[in-house]
Amino acid sequence: MLAAKIIPRPSITQTLAFPNPSIKTSQKPSILSTSCLKSSSQSVLTESLSTTPANARVKILSEALPFIQKFRGKTVVVKYGGAAMKSEALQRSVITDLVLLSCIGLRIVFVHGGGPEINQWLNRLGIKPNFLNGLRVTDESTMEIVSMVLVGKVNKNLVALINKAGATAVGLCGTDGRIFTASPSPNAAQLGFVGEISSVDTSVLRPLINDNLIPVIASVAADGTGQSYNINADTAAGELAAALGAEKLLLLTDVAGILENKDDPESLVKEIDVRGVKKMMEDGKIAGGMIPKVNCCIKSLAQGVKTASIIDGRLEHSLLLEVLTDEGAGTMITR
């Protein structure tokens, strides 16, 4: 029997709501907006809740305490991409969530792709983007653009946004410190310079994480000869989460999560174990671009990650909803 709970996902108008049995689901809670301050003489969290009564603010924070205690000091790997990268408002929401989680003691590692930005630059240069089974076909000229856009533009922009929000980020790519060593994909003849990860070295990351810095890692890596490869960002995040012994892997995506019925957006599977999700794949209920995401989660769980979630990047404050509430913001897969 499928080990899953099917609950309608929260609407886009619902924002951060810490669990409270007395609050009905039809109520619309206030947005929690925070920034992290660098000065040791100031509190690390300041609230921007001018429209929310003080008692409500305190209640929200007190109800978050069990989740803060659970995850404080734990490593959480976040893969960023999709809709959350296209919208400036959603981008601000993700960055704010990251900084808040870092401030309350979570050790955040941020892995990103940049498909929409890569496509924009390819179109500017008159190169048509091509995909095979959800993976970008990457010839030599495309690989050069992928490296320039992901490492030189997207990565540094994200670092700047996190720094501006009050945390301290360090921009890297998979090639730096041999974080990832790549090897050609088995389908290299069709995909070109699309790589797989043959090994992970976290030695350059651990001092950063221990100092409460946020590594921001672009999904580009090289093989032993120095040849660069485009790495699927979901795969990169999953392998890194396993190597770091992460508590959680969070994949931001463009859909609500895993659906029991792919034609019914209200049939969201909120929680499922590995056996259940494999059964859904066998039954053809999981298809297309969701397959590599689910496989990534299964593999990371098999290597020791506690939980892996595919969450709705279109939902404001989806990271906080997933980490600091029982409601969640997508599908959580457990061992």
Side-chain angles (χ1 to χ4, degrees), residues 2-3 6 16 47 92 100 124 208 226-227 291 295 307 333:
L2 181 65
I6 303 170
L16 180 64
E47 307 299 334
R92 285 194 299 270
L100 189 153
R124 286 187 187 186
L208 302 177
Q227 171 61 54
I291 292 176
N295 283 332
T307 65
I333 305 173

Side-chain angles (χ1 to χ4, degrees), residues 172-182 197-205 217 220-226 240 243:
L172 301 163
C173 74
T175 307
D176 296 320
R178 297 189 187 92
I179 296 172
F180 301 128
T181 298
I197 295 173
S198 58
S199 66
V200 182
D201 185 344
T202 62
S203 58
V204 78
L205 296 177
I217 304 168
V220 172
D223 63 15
T225 70
L240 192 55

Side-chain angles (χ1 to χ4, degrees), residues 3-4 15 28 39 42 57 66 68-69 80 94 122 147 150 157 163 178 203 213 216-217 271 283 288 298 310-311 321:
T15 53
K28 296 178 181 178
S39 172
Q42 295 172 299
R57 303 182 202 180
I68 295 171
Q69 291 172 323
Y80 178 55
V94 170
L122 288 173
S147 292
L150 289 189
N157 181 56
N163 290 345
R178 297 189 187 92
S203 58
L213 306 180
V216 181
I217 304 168
E271 184 175 343
D283 294 342
I298 292 172
I310 299 171
I311 65 176
L321 283 165

